[in-house]
Amino acid sequence: MPVACVISIGCQLRNVLAVENSGNIIRRIKRGELSALAEARAIQFFRDKIENIGLFAEPVVVVNGQNKRPDLLARIGAEEVMIEVARAEDSRVRARIVDKLNCIAALISDIPFGRSAEIYLDREPQAEEIHLLQNGIRNACDSGSGLHEVENLGCIQMDRLQPGVVSPLPKDDIVQVFVAAGEYNGDSNRSILVGCPFEDDRAKSFLNHEAKHFSKEHCNLLVIEIGGSAKSCNRWAPLVARQFHPNQRTRLSGVMIVASHLDPEGFTRFDYRLVRNPFARSPLPDSLLEPLHI
C-alpha cells in the first residue's frame, strides 16, 4: 500500500476514535465496508472544518414510531444536527442503469463492427427503444467509421478507440456511467463502450432512500460523497436543488456534496458544496455554516 494511503487511513482512524460510540464504525472498517470508510472521511471532514464540533455515532431517533439510527449526531454548542452519509457509487439508480447498459452491450455484441463501438445515450432508454439502438449500430457499421446519430436517443461512434481503451467523448451531462467490454465475442481486438447520463433520478434516489433515517423533529443533513473535484460538486448541486419543494423532503435541512483526494504528503483534502433546503422545517444552524464559510 502506498505511503500516502497509509497516512490517510491513519488520519481517518484517529478522527473516528475521537467520536463517541464509534465502535461499530471501526468494526465495519476492519471488514472493509466502503460505507464505513465514507463515514470515516465525513468525520474527518467535519472535524477538520469545525473546531468545536462534537460527534456521536449512530444516535437513536424516532421516525414514524420506529427507532432509526442516522450515521452521526453533530453537536456544535447548543445546536444538534443529524447526519447521514451516502456514497454516490451506492446509488440504486446507478445499479439499474449499469444492468441496462450491460444488456445493451450484450444485444449489440452479435452485430459485426470494426475495432470499437461506442454508444452514448442522452437518456435512459425504454425497453421498447432498444431495437432502435440495434438498428442504429447496424446502420453505423454499414456507413463506416465516424459519428452517427440515433434519433431521440443519442449517438454511435465507430472505430475511434483502440481496443480496451476507455476514453469517452466529452459530454455536457451532469454525471455518466460507462460500461466497457474488454473483448468482443472472444476477440480482444474489438471492444464495446456504452454510456448513459444519470440525470435527476440519481439525486432523487439518494434523497428518497436516505429520508427514512431522519425525523421531523431534528435538523438533518445528508452528506453525499462523490468522485471527482470541486467541478464535480458544482455539477451535482443543481441536481440536488431541483429536488426541494414546499411539500416534499422538508425534514431534510440540506445536502453536503463532498469530494476528497490525497495530496502528495498523504493528507486528505476536501472539495465541497452545500445545497440548503429553502423549505426545510429546521434550517441548518449558523454554527455549522460559518466555519465552512457558507
Side-chain angles (χ1 to χ4, degrees):
M1 180 181 292
V3 174
C5 292
V6 174
I7 294 173
S8 175
I9 293 173
C11 291
Q12 291 169 20
L13 289 175
R14 184 191 66 209
N15 280 282
V16 171
L17 289 171
V19 173
E20 294 182 62
N21 196 41
S22 61
N24 191 43
I25 299 178
I26 297 294
R27 287 189 290 272
R28 290 166 52 223
I29 290 174
K30 289 180 178 179
R31 292 197 298 265
E33 294 186 22
L34 297 179
S35 60
L37 292 171
E39 290 166 28
R41 285 187 289 271
I43 289 168
Q44 182 178 359
F45 169 79
F46 285 111
R47 284 176 52 83
D48 282 354
K49 300 295 182 181
I50 305 175
E51 183 178 358
N52 299 320
I53 195 169
L55 294 170
F56 184 91
E58 299 184 357
V60 177
V61 298
V62 178
V63 181
N64 297 328
Q66 296 183 333
N67 288 344
K68 298 291 184 180
R69 290 184 176 271
D71 292 324
L72 298 166
L73 163 62
R75 291 192 180 99
I76 313 164
E79 305 284 357
E80 291 188 348
V81 179
M82 298 294 174
I83 299 173
E84 187 71 17
V85 182
R87 296 176 60 247
E89 289 76 8
D90 289 338
S91 170
R92 293 182 179 184
V93 176
R94 182 184 192 280
R96 186 190 74 232
I97 293 179
V98 167
D99 287 343
K100 184 167 287 189
L101 297 189
N102 275 317
C103 290
I104 292 171
L107 285 172
I108 67 173
S109 64
D110 291 330
I111 302 173
F113 57 86
R115 67 173 182 267
S116 70
E118 302 163 73
I119 296 89
Y120 296 95
L121 303 172
D122 293 330
R123 57 178 173 80
E124 183 180 355
Q126 302 300 312
E128 60 270 17
E129 294 177 316
I130 300 300
H131 74 280
L132 295 176
L133 291 174
Q134 292 177 296
N135 292 338
I137 197 167
R138 287 192 180 97
N139 293 335
C141 290
D142 293 340
S143 301
S145 61
L147 188 66
H148 308 271
E149 297 292 331
V150 180
E151 186 176 1
N152 297 323
L153 273 179
C155 63
I156 297 171
Q157 178 80 34
M158 304 299 297
D159 295 337
R160 186 179 72 94
L161 300 182
Q162 294 299 319
V165 176
V166 179
S167 177
L169 290 171
K171 301 284 284 183
D172 293 330
D173 301 298
I174 302 299
V175 183
Q176 294 185 8
V177 57
F178 294 94
V179 177
E183 294 186 351
Y184 164 76
N185 281 357
D187 185 352
S188 60
N189 292 320
R190 294 180 176 182
S191 62
I192 300 170
L193 178 65
V194 186
C196 179
F198 279 103
E199 299 179 339
D200 287 0
D201 280 349
R202 196 180 193 201
K204 182 178 180 180
S205 175
F206 275 120
L207 271 60
N208 289 344
H209 184 256
E210 302 300 335
K212 64 185 180 182
H213 298 284
F214 295 133
S215 74
K216 296 178 181 179
E217 289 72 33
H218 294 90
C219 179
N220 302 303
L221 177 66
L222 173 61
V223 175
I224 300 179
E225 183 186 64
I226 64 171
S229 61
K231 186 176 181 180
S232 300
C233 295
N234 291 334
R235 287 176 174 174
W236 264 85
L239 285 181
V240 172
R242 286 199 289 269
Q243 304 307 317
F244 295 138
H245 303 282
N247 299 315
Q248 293 181 332
R249 306 182 184 91
T250 56
R251 69 181 63 187
L252 185 58
S253 306
V255 175
M256 181 74 74
I257 305 159
V258 180
S260 62
H261 63 275
L262 294 182
D263 67 14
E265 287 74 38
F267 295 101
T268 304
R269 304 301 179 191
F270 297 98
D271 295 305
Y272 59 94
R273 177 81 179 269
L274 176 67
V275 182
R276 284 181 277 186
N277 184 356
F279 311 106
R281 290 171 178 264
S282 301
L284 292 168
D286 291 338
S287 56
L288 174 75
L289 302 176
E290 289 174 359
L292 297 173
H293 306 291
I294 294 172

